[in-house]
Amino acid sequence: MILILLGAPGVGKGTQGVLISKEYNIPQISTGDILRKEVKEQTELGKKAKAYMDKGELVPDDIIIDMMEKRIKQEDCKNGFILDGFPRTTAQAKAFDEMLQKNGLNLDKVLLIDVPEEEIISRLTGRRVCESCGAVYHIKYNPPKEDGVCDKCGGKLIQRDDDKEEVVRNRLEVYKKSTMPLIYYYKNSGKLVVVDGMGEIEEIFERVKEVLK
Ligand code: AMP
């Protein structure tokens, strides 16, 4: 199965992606996670990407397309994969279509997770992530047992720089301008399915499974 998760930042693509990945036993590929790792390791790619990410802007298409072309060729992708955070522009979507065609692969579905904007802002600005293992918490909806400490590994919980309110607002603007057109792109191909992203994680996952059947 090849699946794209679409939706604004903060709608729960990452959370649902992990659950789908376990259920169907295929890897979840998050461009944001790959980029953050590159930034942390201060690679050439990471250095180039950081300036864009800090401002909530998109990293240029050619960098992302090249990165993804390499990633989906890896062995663990042979039974399919779930894309979280890619494609994010029409140029990336077109390049991805070509990648699939070249490799004789077929996109199954595009899952759009829908959440109102005010809820997104509250979710993102309250999000905390573990510096060590990447586990995700929310100060109100999913707090750790001890303030600032990861339940899973004891690591320190931090706020991503791009989860600060001003950057969040910019990320939403970028989403509207650059990524929303993809909704129409995939609607036309008949592959788009929409899920209401409000409610409990498990409840949303039930909806997801229903539309992926
Ligand atoms: P995310 O965790 O998916 O919200 O991604 C965090 C940041 O990484 C974004 O704000 C962008 O700067 C960058 N990024 C992630 N995926 C892409 C993509 N497909 N195209 C361009 N930039 C991306």
Side-chain angles (χ1 to χ4, degrees):
M1 176 163 72
I2 298 179
L3 179 68
I4 293 175
L5 297 178
L6 199 60
V11 296
K13 299 189 295 294
T15 305
Q16 294 300 322
V18 170
L19 297 174
I20 302 167
S21 164
K22 280 188 193 139
E23 177 90 8
Y24 296 93
N25 206 15
I26 47 175
Q28 172 204 19
I29 304 173
S30 154
T31 40
D33 285 349
I34 301 176
L35 290 168
R36 278 185 288 278
K37 185 162 175 274
E38 300 277 342
V39 170
K40 204 171 168 188
E41 291 169 0
Q42 298 188 339
T43 63
E44 276 311 306
L45 171 60
K47 283 181 202 158
K48 276 190 213 152
K50 188 174 183 324
Y52 299 98
M53 295 171 75
D54 284 348
K55 283 186 284 189
E57 301 289 336
L58 294 181
V59 174
D61 285 331
D62 53 339
I63 297 181
I64 299 287
I65 291 166
D66 189 46
M67 184 177 98
M68 290 308 284
E69 204 149 17
K70 289 184 188 130
R71 180 62 188 90
I72 65 166
K73 279 190 187 141
Q74 287 175 14
E75 181 63 19
D76 63 336
C77 291
K78 68 176 193 308
N79 292 325
F81 47 87
I82 306 157
L83 295 175
D84 161 11
F86 174 88
R88 236 164 159 123
T89 62
T90 307
Q92 290 179 17
K94 286 187 177 152
F96 182 58
D97 282 345
E98 278 167 30
M99 274 180 230
L100 290 177
Q101 207 174 20
K102 220 164 54 188
N103 293 292
L105 299 170
N106 187 35
L107 173 65
D108 293 287
K109 280 203 166 77
V110 178
L111 179 72
L112 173 67
I113 307 181
D114 191 31
V115 171
E117 186 163 321
E118 282 315 306
E119 167 77 11
I120 291 177
I121 292 170
S122 137
R123 282 191 193 180
L124 287 179
T125 52
R127 177 160 74 177
R128 299 292 180 271
V129 292
C130 174
E131 220 180 24
S132 312
C133 75
V136 182
Y137 298 86
H138 189 280
I139 48 172
K140 207 158 95 199
Y141 308 128
N142 176 29
K145 290 196 188 85
E146 192 184 333
D147 232 16
V149 181
C150 178
D151 292 348
K152 293 188 180 121
C153 77
K156 187 175 162 208
L157 301 185
I158 55 162
Q159 184 178 40
R160 273 169 49 176
D161 283 338
D162 61 351
D163 281 345
K164 309 246 155 80
E165 178 152 355
E166 210 181 283
V167 184
V168 164
R169 291 199 184 269
N170 191 37
R171 287 166 69 198
L172 283 173
E173 286 311 308
V174 170
Y175 170 75
K176 282 185 208 159
K177 192 168 126 253
S178 304
T179 310
M180 266 178 91
L182 293 187
I183 297 176
Y184 305 99
Y185 184 88
Y186 288 117
K187 210 178 208 170
N188 287 336
S189 74
K191 293 189 173 162
L192 189 80
V193 285
V194 186
V195 157
D196 174 7
M198 290 294 281
E200 297 292 323
I201 291 171
E202 278 306 322
E203 192 185 336
I204 301 163
F205 186 48
E206 288 305 316
R207 292 178 202 141
V208 168
K209 281 193 286 190
E210 197 54 40
V211 296
L212 292 185
K213 254 183 200 161

